[in-house]
Amino acid sequence: MRLLAKLAIRIALNGAALWVAQRYFPGFMLSGETALAAGALVLALLNIFVAPILRFITTPLRWLTLGLFNIVINIAVLALADYLLPQLTIHGYATLFWTSLIIALANAFF
């Protein structure tokens, strides 16, 4: 039960981060009625399953950069979500960078 509650909180935080990104960045678009919920679910699942594998593989780089390589991992996870979701469109690397920082801040709580 605790795992489901943690997953639900993570989905809600990712949904809030996606909403903020959609509101403040013109290069970030979610189209469709259920795009926000689908995006939040996909991002939560990617952050649960894919991001830890990437963090393990890139541990020496994270040590050398004193943790700054985590930004690159967050950008890769968001780019993968952009690839997997046809409703999500991200234009430009600056939008990708700032959106990944917003999502990383949302995921820092859990």
Side-chain angles (χ1 to χ4, degrees):
M1 184 67 180
R2 183 176 172 159
L3 181 66
L4 290 177
K6 194 171 183 177
L7 179 65
I9 291 171
R10 209 173 253 252
I11 291 171
L13 287 173
N14 282 320
L18 289 175
W19 181 81
V20 167
Q22 181 181 9
R23 181 154 170 94
Y24 292 108
F25 297 114
F28 186 88
M29 291 178 269
L30 284 167
S31 59
E33 297 171 0
T34 61
L36 187 65
L41 178 66
V42 167
L43 268 177
L45 292 175
L46 286 175
N47 281 323
I48 289 172
F49 295 112
V50 176
I53 295 169
L54 290 175
R55 285 189 182 97
F56 178 73
I57 291 170
T58 61
T59 299
L61 282 172
R62 291 188 309 132
W63 287 345
L64 286 173
T65 62
L66 302 175
L68 288 176
F69 198 75
N70 281 328
I71 296 171
V72 176
I73 293 171
N74 291 332
I75 289 171
V77 168
L78 186 59
L80 182 60
D82 182 26
Y83 177 75
L84 292 174
L85 287 170
Q87 304 99 329
L88 177 64
T89 307
I90 302 173
H91 294 289
Y93 291 111
T95 304
L96 185 64
F97 174 75
W98 290 111
T99 305
S100 71
L101 285 181
I102 291 171
I103 292 171
L105 284 173
N107 285 320
F109 294 111
F110 277 92

